[in-house]
Amino acid sequence: MEATALSVGKSVLDGALGYAKSAFAEEVALQLGVQQDHAFVADELEMMQSFMMEAHEERDKSKVVKTWVKQVRDTAYDVEDSLQDFAVRLQRPSWWRFPRTLLERRRVAKRMKELRAKVEDVSQRNVRYRLIKGSGSNATAMAGQANLIAAAIFGVEEARRAAKHENQRVDLVQLISKDDKDLRVIAVWGTSGDIGQTTIIREAYANPDVQSKFPGRAWVRVMHPFSPKDFVQSLVNQFQAAEGVENLLETEKTATELTQEFNRFVNEKRCLIVLNDISTIEEWDRIKKCFRNKRNGSRIVVSTSQVEVASLCAGQESQASELKQLSEDQTLYAFYNKVFGDTRDLVDQENPELIKERKQILKKCDGLPLAIVVIGGFLANRPKTGAEWRKLNENISAELEMNPELGMIRTVLGKSYDGLPYELKSCFLYLSIFPEDHTISQRRLVRRWAVEGYSSERRGKSSNAIAETYFIELKNRSMILPSQQSVYSRKSIDSCKVHDLIRDIAISKSMEENLVFRLEEGCALSNHGTIRHLSISSNWKGDQSEFESIVDLSRIRSLSVFGRCKPFYISDKMMFLRVLDLEGTIGLEYHHLDNIWKLLHLKYLSLRDCDDIDLLPDSLGNLRQLQVLDVRGTRVNALPKTIIHLRKLQFIHAGWQSDYVNQEKDSLMSRCLAGACICAICCLPILYEIDGPFHKAVTRRDACTFACCVAFPALMTGVYEEKGATVPRGIRKLKDLQTLREVNVGRGSAVLQDIKMLTGLRKLGVTGINKKNGPAFRLAISNLSRLESLSVSSAGKPGLRGCLDGVSSPLENLQSLKLYGNLEKLPEWIKELPHLVKLKLSGTRLLEHDAAMELLGKLPKLEILVLSWSSFQGEELAFKSLQAGIAFESLRVLRLAGITNVKSLKFEEGVMPKLERLQVSGALYNEIDFSGLEFLASINEVQLRVSFLWDRERIEAALDSGTSWDKIEEEERQEHALKEGELKKKIQDQLARNANEPILTVR
């Protein structure tokens, strides 16, 4: 509990101190004449932060320290809330500025004196009770204890027990020399000191068999701070020495020459590299970028004194094994990839019953490495029989609670939380907001962390960029897991889930601190004090009086609703609310947003996938602190004009997401008739009742505004068939915008002129591109040099044809490109995108199949390719080899969705050497003929999610002949089951011939 309080307290202090020392806060203090009190509070916060750091190192178990830490945390909350409130309210324009300023001066001065007294009192308690005793022998003892805890977490104890039980230890020489074409990392960690560790590695490094297998050898001690140039220079020197070169770089080489020489060795020769004294994972992250898997069997041996670093260097799926050693007083362990290892498995692989039971247990562990390690260690001392595994599988929940050895899982996972840096602890506890088995998008989580203040700008990186590194670090530590829907790239995953055991820890720790409260069926109806984050579950059925009696709404910083939204959830009593996340809620309507303009501190507003929202109030312009506006997946066709006043907006998501592109538009006559119906709304004497399209709170003016300014223009111009939303002129004023999607520009080029001026944009999505606005669009994107993601869409038969040719300057930083609509031929500038990682084509109807595939196959960094809904014309998709080079050399994920007319899918030998996952989904008319799956050298999984469309002609003929509908339906189901079975068998037969032994997943 104390460690949790410290972590939360330090995160809060970071935010409070950052705000207190900001230039704007100091300017406000000067303006109001409270600069002396403000400076004192800032200085005291800094001192309290130092006390917190010392307390965190010392981990004193005193109840007094715990109480003091909580008081510091609560004080920091008060200071941050108050300072921000002063700033926000003084920013609001008023014609009665002078009298209001006088009133504000008096109110702020009084509040600042109260804060000063409170901060001073909390600070003095540390001196009064001598809470922080300093470091020394206690710190040393704690460091040793932390090391032992870390060893238990990363499987060392289980490896020791298994080695003792089976009298089996791995040999480092055998691990290094093992025949395997992939680049492999072996990390060595020990408890006997650097000398014994170095001796063991030296013995293997100097082994004659090892030297004969590795022409390139190098032993490098990593310097602190790390110097990339010195590192590469040392490697090149030793590589050349291994070749017998006498004059080892008598003259210093340039960076280019060093790079060429280094690449020559690493790419062409089998290398053995020993890296000694790596102390942090950040050092390893910088080093590993130098090495690419050229499948020549190279090895990297990492020697480290940190067990956590050893595990992370070897990879997320690593295992620990005890090494054969020179003497009994040395205890060393090797961490290496499970695929690479050659140790005896826990079960008899010849016994299908054991394999089945084992898979069931691993499925319940959900792939969580820490849980698998502990269960594996437990079973190592049990009889390896099917009955034993089945017993554990059937009673795993009870075993976790009752069995002391399996109960270690929760203890070990708890220690993994304790080992997190304090900034990650707060982010981890934040995960308890989300329901069980909930898929959490990286976008959603990272942006919430940033606006909440859990990440802050530093070293030239934005708060969102820092939050992304936190997300990746939690993934690397197995605290979050990739979801089944997640798409992988080199950088990260785009969605995650939290394992049930991990989530239990997050909930218990956050409840200790009153950080997160989950409002759900059966929760206590007493006041829970100062709750910072409120999460409302779908099963809570309480009314407004119960809602307001449970928590103090005035201190809520975030509100997240999962289920049905009720009007009183969005209360103007939530005066400090920063995050309002209503993503996916049911029943949210326009009138529920009546009081949203009063939430002056709101920074994050998400109405994503709230299907009943079709209009946003003009009062949205009052939210001057808003940074994220997400109305993706709603019926909002136009954003209000007032959003141009929200100068802090960084992310705007609008429109709706669909791979399908309309090929036909409604006729002008049908649109005119529909427009007449819309205009009639303005003439109705009485508006619809509450269960109709409008609520009784909606005025006639609101209805007319919606009908005349949104629905009618969208209908008559045909832009309603596009999947974007229109934005007002003047959006160029939002200079902080980084993301703008999906914007409908089909009504003219004025908005494109605005977009052209948003030079800070990194992600842009536009719909409604046509031949008229095509030139303005090309000029706009040519001016956006920082653009990393671009999505372009156009409905109708002309679609994007001829609209994308002739971009004046290549988009050098573009990493993601999505094209929706009839294109027929790929633009030539696509081949000039050196950093393109993800490409999606939908409804593009490309004609020149071979030419398009050759262009795509030459993209050097393309990792994810998505082809859907008639992306290519014809009945065949063929991925062929190139005359020069390797086709799709970097591709890792291939997704084929909605390929209804495709009958043949072919892969030639040598293409896609790194493809790991093939996904095929959608409805099919005919069975697809797969061929060449056995040639995909790195394929791990084929995911098949298809269904077969009913044969309309056969059904009509059967109906004409008098066959009953029930019989027709049963025959169709049998036919579809037969087709699905045959398709599955054909794929399995090809995969059985693949040396990588991939699996087939059918959903």
Side-chain angles (χ1 to χ4, degrees):
M1 179 174 177
E2 178 224 356
T4 305
L6 283 167
S7 300
V8 174
K10 285 196 292 184
S11 294
V12 175
L13 275 169
D14 283 346
L17 183 58
Y19 202 89
K21 290 205 165 186
S22 67
F24 181 77
E26 292 177 355
E27 181 182 344
V28 171
L30 181 65
Q31 177 186 352
L32 297 179
V34 293
Q35 62 269 33
Q36 183 177 359
D37 289 320
H38 175 268
F40 173 84
V41 169
D43 290 343
E44 287 298 307
L45 283 175
E46 190 166 19
M47 183 62 70
M48 289 157 62
Q49 188 182 46
S50 300
F51 291 157
M52 280 285 209
M53 294 297 289
E54 250 186 278
H56 187 265
E57 293 297 326
E58 192 173 289
R59 301 291 178 92
D60 196 314
K61 300 300 181 183
S62 167
K63 291 183 178 180
V64 180
V65 172
K66 296 177 183 178
T67 302
W68 177 76
V69 166
K70 285 190 173 184
Q71 290 173 350
V72 171
R73 180 205 61 194
D74 292 340
T75 301
Y77 273 134
D78 286 344
V79 171
E80 186 181 15
D81 287 345
S82 298
L83 291 177
Q84 187 176 1
D85 193 46
F86 299 158
V88 169
R89 294 185 181 278
L90 286 170
Q91 276 185 312
R92 297 173 63 194
S94 172
W95 61 270
W96 199 34
R97 175 173 295 275
F98 182 70
R100 196 196 69 179
T101 301
L102 289 178
L103 293 174
E104 290 290 350
R105 274 181 66 108
R106 186 172 182 178
R107 186 178 69 85
V108 170
K110 180 180 178 181
R111 180 58 179 155
M112 283 299 297
K113 290 184 182 299
E114 293 172 356
L115 288 175
R116 173 173 179 161
K118 188 172 183 178
V119 169
E120 187 174 20
D121 182 53
V122 172
S123 299
Q124 287 297 320
R125 286 175 194 162
N126 176 66
V127 179
R128 190 182 310 155
Y129 298 108
R130 298 180 181 178
L131 301 178
I132 307 302
K133 303 170 186 176
S135 57
S137 59
N138 187 36
T140 304
M142 290 305 300
Q145 184 180 356
N147 209 22
L148 292 175
I149 291 171
I153 291 171
F154 290 97
V156 169
E157 179 63 19
E158 285 70 29
R160 183 194 64 79
R161 288 166 50 194
K164 182 178 179 181
H165 179 75
E166 301 175 5
N167 196 25
Q168 182 183 16
R169 292 176 172 84
V170 300
D171 185 87
L172 186 57
V173 172
Q174 292 179 359
L175 276 179
I176 294 173
S177 304
K178 183 176 175 62
D179 291 332
D180 190 287
K181 292 183 179 180
D182 282 321
L183 171 71
R184 298 295 185 186
V185 178
I186 305 164
V188 179
W189 173 82
T191 61
S192 59
D194 292 341
I195 297 178
Q197 195 165 324
T198 303
T199 303
I200 295 294
I201 300 174
R202 273 289 180 192
E203 287 286 324
Y205 184 77
N207 186 283
D209 291 338
V210 171
Q211 291 188 0
S212 65
K213 289 187 176 182
F214 296 92
R217 297 183 304 280
W219 183 297
V220 180
R221 177 173 290 277
V222 178
M223 304 304 293
H224 310 289
F226 177 68
S227 170
K229 185 175 181 181
D230 292 344
F231 174 74
V232 175
Q233 181 91 43
S234 178
L235 287 174
V236 171
N237 286 354
Q238 296 183 64
F239 286 153
Q240 290 184 330
E243 285 190 337
V245 178
E246 299 295 334
N247 53 339
L248 299 178
L249 299 179
E250 293 179 354
T251 58
E252 186 175 352
K253 291 191 174 185
T254 65
T256 302
E257 291 172 333
L258 271 178
T259 300
Q260 293 174 349
E261 195 71 13
F262 174 80
N263 288 334
R264 180 176 72 85
F265 279 100
V266 174
N267 295 339
E268 298 176 5
K269 297 182 181 295
R270 195 179 191 203
C271 297
L272 171 62
I273 301 167
V274 178
L275 304 176
N276 197 20
D277 197 23
I278 288 185
S279 59
T280 67
I281 193 60
E282 287 77 16
E283 289 176 347
W284 170 246
D285 286 338
R286 296 185 67 184
I287 290 172
K288 71 180 180 181
K289 293 178 182 178
C290 302
F291 303 98
R292 295 182 180 180
N293 188 4
K294 292 297 181 180
R295 296 185 63 80
N296 57 8
S298 292
R299 301 284 178 264
I300 300 176
V301 178
V302 176
S303 176
T304 176
S305 60
Q306 305 293 327
V307 62
E308 181 181 0
V309 173
S311 175
L312 295 177
C313 286
Q316 186 174 350
E317 299 300 323
S318 66
Q319 69 183 64
S321 295
E322 192 171 337
L323 278 174
K324 290 183 180 179
Q325 298 164 28
L326 296 178
S327 63
E328 290 299 324
D329 62 342
Q330 297 168 347
T331 310
L332 299 180
Y333 298 88
F335 290 80
Y336 52 90
N337 191 279
K338 293 179 181 178
V339 178
F340 177 52
D342 194 23
T343 57
R344 185 155 57 89
D345 203 348
L346 292 174
V347 298
D348 183 358
Q349 295 296 337
E350 302 298 324
N351 189 331
E353 182 183 14
L354 289 180
I355 295 174
K356 179 181 178 182
E357 297 298 335
R358 179 177 183 244
K359 286 182 177 179
Q360 290 295 324
I361 290 178
L362 295 184
K363 183 178 180 181
K364 288 189 177 182
C365 291
D366 203 14
L368 187 67
L370 298 176
I372 293 172
V373 164
V374 177
I375 290 177
F378 170 72
L379 288 172
N381 298 320
R382 302 282 286 270
K384 298 178 178 64
T385 64
E388 195 70 31
W389 282 75
R390 191 181 308 109
K391 178 182 176 182
L392 175 62
N393 183 27
E394 293 173 353
N395 303 287
I396 191 167
S397 298
E399 290 274 4
L400 287 173
E401 296 295 334
M402 300 173 60
N403 192 295
E405 292 185 78
L406 283 180
M408 266 189 65
I409 292 179
R410 296 188 186 275
T411 303
V412 167
L413 295 179
K415 296 300 182 184
S416 68
Y417 164 78
D418 292 338
L420 291 174
Y422 81 90
E423 65 272 9
L424 288 185
K425 284 185 177 178
S426 299
C427 294
F428 171 73
L429 296 182
Y430 200 80
L431 296 172
S432 60
I433 288 172
F434 299 95
E436 184 178 358
D437 295 328
H438 192 80
T439 297
I440 312 170
S441 72
Q442 180 189 17
R443 159 198 53 79
R444 186 180 190 180
L445 195 55
V446 162
R447 290 175 186 167
R448 286 189 58 156
W449 283 341
V451 300
E452 292 278 15
Y454 288 131
S455 63
S456 55
E457 182 178 350
R458 65 172 182 259
R459 296 192 300 272
K461 287 188 175 182
S462 67
S463 58
N464 281 278
I466 296 297
E468 286 179 1
T469 65
Y470 293 167
F471 184 90
I472 295 171
E473 183 67 15
L474 286 176
K475 189 260 295 184
N476 289 340
R477 292 170 179 265
S478 300
M479 305 301 281
I480 57 176
L481 302 172
S483 69
Q484 292 181 343
Q485 296 82 17
S486 183
V487 176
Y488 294 77
S489 70
R490 290 173 302 169
K491 291 183 176 181
S492 184
I493 55 178
D494 62 3
S495 61
C496 69
K497 292 184 71 174
V498 182
H499 190 278
D500 291 347
L501 296 175
I502 291 285
R503 183 172 174 271
D504 289 345
I505 294 172
I507 291 175
S508 63
K509 298 288 185 183
S510 62
M511 287 181 65
E512 288 176 4
E513 290 306 303
N514 279 349
L515 185 69
V516 176
F517 181 70
R518 293 188 53 77
L519 191 55
E520 52 193 0
E521 192 66 24
C523 66
L525 298 183
S526 58
N527 191 291
H528 285 263
T530 304
I531 301 294
R532 309 308 292 186
H533 307 296
L534 179 61
S535 173
I536 304 180
S537 301
S538 57
N539 62 0
W540 190 72
K541 309 297 182 184
D543 57 21
Q544 184 170 355
S545 61
E546 291 176 328
F547 178 69
E548 294 181 353
S549 68
I550 291 176
V551 292
D552 179 7
L553 298 181
S554 66
R555 291 298 183 180
I556 295 293
R557 287 196 179 200
S558 77
L559 172 66
S560 308
V561 180
F562 302 95
R564 180 168 293 276
C565 187
K566 298 180 181 179
F568 55 82
Y569 286 167
I570 309 173
S571 170
D572 55 3
K573 296 179 181 179
M574 301 175 181
M575 61 183 67
F576 290 113
L577 195 70
R578 294 183 181 183
V579 172
L580 179 57
D581 192 341
L582 304 174
E583 181 170 330
T585 56
I586 301 172
L588 184 70
E589 298 180 5
Y590 175 89
H591 67 280
H592 290 166
L593 306 177
D594 286 348
N595 292 323
I596 198 171
W597 65 273
K598 298 180 182 179
L599 306 179
L600 301 180
H601 294 271
L602 201 64
K603 295 183 177 182
Y604 180 105
L605 174 60
S606 176
L607 308 177
R608 178 176 284 232
D609 295 329
C610 296
D611 188 60
D612 293 329
I613 292 293
D614 48 20
L615 187 65
L616 295 178
D618 283 338
S619 62
L620 205 68
N622 201 50
L623 307 179
R624 301 302 174 92
Q625 307 302 311
L626 199 64
Q627 297 177 19
V628 179
L629 176 61
D630 192 343
V631 291
R632 190 79 178 265
T634 67
R635 299 183 186 181
V636 174
N637 292 323
L639 300 183
K641 296 180 179 180
T642 53
I643 68 164
I644 63 174
H645 302 309
L646 308 180
R647 304 299 172 86
K648 294 186 178 181
L649 266 179
Q650 298 177 17
F651 306 95
I652 296 178
H653 289 264
W656 44 276
Q657 193 169 9
S658 172
D659 288 351
Y660 181 74
V661 183
N662 288 330
Q663 296 295 325
E664 298 285 347
K665 288 192 173 184
D666 293 338
S667 66
L668 180 61
M669 178 62 70
S670 62
R671 279 183 276 161
C672 288
L673 292 174
C677 295
I678 290 176
C679 289
I681 293 177
C682 297
C683 302
L684 290 177
I686 300 176
L687 294 177
Y688 292 97
E689 297 298 328
I690 188 169
D691 57 347
F694 291 113
H695 181 260
K696 61 183 180 182
V698 179
T699 64
R700 184 183 300 276
R701 178 181 177 183
D702 290 330
C704 288
T705 299
F706 174 78
C708 299
C709 300
V710 179
F712 184 77
L715 182 67
M716 296 307 296
T717 57
V719 299
Y720 76 99
E721 293 177 322
E722 305 284 357
K723 58 183 181 180
T726 59
V727 296
R729 294 184 182 181
I731 202 169
R732 65 176 66 189
K733 297 177 182 179
L734 307 182
K735 299 296 184 182
D736 289 343
L737 266 186
Q738 300 176 26
T739 297
L740 179 61
R741 55 171 41 162
E742 302 287 332
V743 178
N744 193 324
V745 297
R747 294 174 63 180
S749 301
V751 173
L752 287 169
Q753 296 294 333
D754 279 339
I755 292 175
K756 179 182 177 181
M757 305 303 294
L758 298 174
T759 54
L761 275 181
R762 297 182 183 275
K763 297 182 179 182
L764 173 65
V766 292
T767 68
I769 297 296
N770 51 52
K771 287 190 175 181
K772 289 184 178 180
N773 59 26
F777 169 70
R778 293 193 292 271
L779 285 174
I781 62 172
S782 296
N783 199 48
L784 305 178
S785 59
R786 297 184 182 180
L787 209 59
E788 297 174 0
S789 175
L790 176 63
S791 172
V792 188
S793 175
S794 182
K797 283 186 177 180
L800 296 173
R801 189 172 53 200
C803 299
L804 303 181
D805 299 325
V807 174
S808 58
S809 60
L811 304 172
E812 295 182 353
N813 294 314
L814 202 66
Q815 299 176 22
S816 174
L817 177 62
K818 300 176 183 179
L819 302 177
Y820 302 86
N822 191 20
L823 194 59
E824 297 185 359
K825 183 181 178 181
L826 288 174
E828 287 295 317
W829 53 266
I830 290 182
K831 65 183 179 183
E832 299 177 14
L833 302 176
H835 302 294
L836 192 67
V837 174
K838 181 177 180 178
L839 176 64
K840 184 173 185 177
L841 303 175
S842 181
T844 49
R845 308 182 69 85
L846 299 178
L847 297 174
E848 301 176 3
H849 177 277
D850 291 343
M853 284 298 184
E854 183 175 3
L855 186 152
L856 299 179
K858 291 181 179 179
L859 292 172
K861 295 186 178 180
L862 187 65
E863 294 187 17
I864 301 171
L865 177 61
V866 182
L867 305 176
S868 63
W869 293 108
S870 301
S871 53
F872 281 86
Q873 293 274 43
E875 298 179 345
E876 178 182 283
L877 275 180
F879 300 94
K880 301 179 180 179
S881 301
L882 298 175
Q883 293 182 354
I886 301 175
F888 300 97
E889 181 179 6
S890 301
L891 198 69
R892 296 174 59 241
V893 177
L894 174 61
R895 296 177 59 189
L896 307 174
I899 49 174
T900 308
N901 296 317
V902 174
K903 296 182 179 179
S904 174
L905 179 60
K906 297 181 179 180
F907 299 90
E908 287 192 359
E909 188 171 3
V911 303
M912 304 182 184
K914 297 181 181 178
L915 187 71
E916 299 174 3
R917 191 194 305 179
L918 171 62
Q919 300 173 323
V920 182
S921 62
L924 306 174
Y925 283 117
N926 302 288
E927 183 182 331
I928 299 179
D929 180 22
F930 286 82
S931 63
L933 295 178
E934 65 269 26
F935 299 137
L936 300 174
S938 300
I939 190 76
N940 294 324
E941 181 181 12
V942 174
Q943 294 181 353
L944 196 64
R945 289 182 287 181
V946 299
S947 60
F948 288 90
L949 296 171
W950 286 24
D951 190 331
R952 180 179 296 181
E953 293 183 358
R954 186 172 63 183
I955 292 174
E956 290 177 351
L959 289 173
D960 291 342
S961 65
T963 307
S964 68
W965 176 253
D966 290 342
K967 184 176 181 181
I968 294 173
E969 189 176 22
E970 180 61 27
E971 289 177 351
E972 285 294 322
R973 287 177 178 172
Q974 293 178 359
E975 181 70 19
H976 295 171
L978 181 63
K979 288 182 178 180
E980 289 173 6
E982 291 176 351
L983 179 60
K984 180 180 177 181
K985 185 178 184 303
K986 288 180 180 179
I987 295 176
Q988 286 177 329
D989 289 344
Q990 291 186 48
L991 295 180
R993 299 193 296 271
N994 191 302
N996 210 44
E997 299 182 356
I999 62 172
L1000 173 64
T1001 304
V1002 180
R1003 298 176 186 168

